[in-house]
Amino acid sequence: MVLEATMICVDNSEWMRNGDYSPSRFQAQADAVNLLCGAKTQSNPENTVGILTMAGKQVRVLSTLTSDLGKILSCMHGLEVGGEMNLSAGIQVAQLALKHRQNKNQQQRIIVFAGSPIQYDKKMLETIGKKLKKNNVSLDIVDFGENKEGKPEKLEALFAAVNSNESSHIVHIPPGGVAISDALMSTPVFTGDGEGGSGFAAVAAAAGGGNFDFGVDPNLDPELALALRVSMEEERARQEAAGKRAADEAARQEKREEPTSNSQDATMVDKAAEATNNASEPMDEVNALLQHAIALSMENSGSDPSVRDSEMAEATNEDQDLAVALQISIQESAKDSSSQSDMSKALEDQSFMSSVVASLPGVDPNDPSVIELLASLQGQSEQSEQKKNEDNPPSDGK
């Protein structure tokens, strides 16, 4: 089994906020780092791993060389992201930490995660590589993210300068493909150099095989499985909290808009009710009149026949009264006349009788009963005149 002391250089620059790796560059890198640390410590109980960050105000050592996997994994939580990656300073600090390792029999290895552009030129990087080679330090490079400013070519130059007997490795992981941790599991960065790393390869095969969560058998590595599960749960909780905050914000915006819409709806309802009341007032009056007329019609149609007969009798009595009144009027007119013959002539004069009838209040000259009465009076006048002539025959003048 390989006995190694490994320093892992993490890129926490501003470029790690990009989301071209799920869920983000930094989180994808953190998952790969956790997996590498577990594999390194599992391959040999005496292996040690340390972690440092290369961006920010200065290079920061998060964990010195240790075999405590819990300490290594806990230091990856809560890291700040920002600034630019300083590759040269990160490698130099990692080399210094390896130089002060407690077990001098451990082979020295540096693993660099480079996910942002590199500011140094090839000549500077070649100088750094030659210095690492001189001190028997192996270098594994994980290239992901940005490919600007000739980044792959610069990293290839660094790799060529440090590589000795195929002890160093470089891996290019394009965005949009598999996760960084999944891509590393089938590379020499994870499986070792093939000579003294048989234990490392066995752990990698065990972690990558089977249908276990995160590709790790909890029976072989319970601590790694637990750490990966905790990391996944924390990420899930973070996403749920972000979704809840977004939902609460949307609910607050809806509450701000709801009073305005409610007031507008209430105004429209009041106006509609007012218009309905105004329109219903004349309709109510018309409906009341119609109902009253219908009630009267029903009363008239539903009245008792005896009541109708009494009404007709009253109408007949009124006609008799009318006839008496006419007769009295005619008699008074006859008294004023100079002779009975004048009265007879008056009765025979239809226009005169019509004018007399018309002068009476409440009498219709065109009423059939009135016409019949006038005809009977005229008949009586003719009979009386004929009788008078019979009683007083005219003299023959002799």
Side-chain angles (χ1 to χ4, degrees), residues 324-343:
V324 173
L326 288 174
Q327 187 174 4
I328 294 171
S329 177
I330 292 171
Q331 290 176 358
E332 289 178 355
S333 300
K335 288 179 182 180
D336 294 338
S337 301
S338 59
S339 63
Q340 185 68 24
S341 59
D342 293 337
M343 185 181 66

Side-chain angles (χ1 to χ4, degrees), residues 51-185:
I51 298 177
L52 60 83
T53 57
M54 297 183 291
K57 296 181 179 179
Q58 59 184 6
V59 176
R60 178 186 173 192
V61 178
L62 302 178
S63 174
T64 56
L65 295 171
T66 180
S67 59
D68 187 355
L69 181 61
K71 181 179 179 181
I72 298 171
L73 297 178
S74 63
C75 71
M76 288 296 297
H77 295 284
L79 289 180
E80 296 181 358
V81 177
E84 294 183 357
M85 180 183 67
N86 191 341
L87 181 60
S88 175
I91 293 176
Q92 291 177 7
V93 172
Q95 182 182 359
L96 183 62
L98 291 173
K99 183 178 181 180
H100 292 86
R101 65 191 183 280
Q102 294 181 354
N103 188 354
K104 300 300 181 179
N105 295 325
Q106 293 174 327
Q107 298 182 10
Q108 305 175 80
R109 182 176 295 276
I110 298 175
I111 300 177
V112 174
F113 284 84
S116 57
I118 297 176
Q119 306 298 330
Y120 303 100
D121 54 10
K122 291 182 180 181
K123 186 176 181 179
M124 178 66 178
L125 296 176
E126 289 175 354
T127 302
I128 296 174
K130 291 177 180 179
K131 184 177 181 181
L132 293 176
K133 184 178 181 179
K134 181 179 180 180
N135 292 284
N136 296 321
V137 179
S138 300
L139 179 65
D140 292 338
I141 303 173
V142 180
D143 176 23
F144 67 101
E146 298 297 323
N147 291 327
K148 297 181 179 180
E149 301 177 3
K151 174 186 171 185
E153 291 77 8
K154 294 179 180 179
L155 293 178
E156 288 288 348
L158 174 61
F159 167 70
V162 73
N163 190 22
S164 176
N165 298 325
E166 300 298 329
S167 61
S168 299
H169 313 91
I170 185 170
V171 179
H172 301 281
I173 304 175
V178 296
I180 297 176
S181 57
D182 295 339
L184 289 179
M185 289 176 64

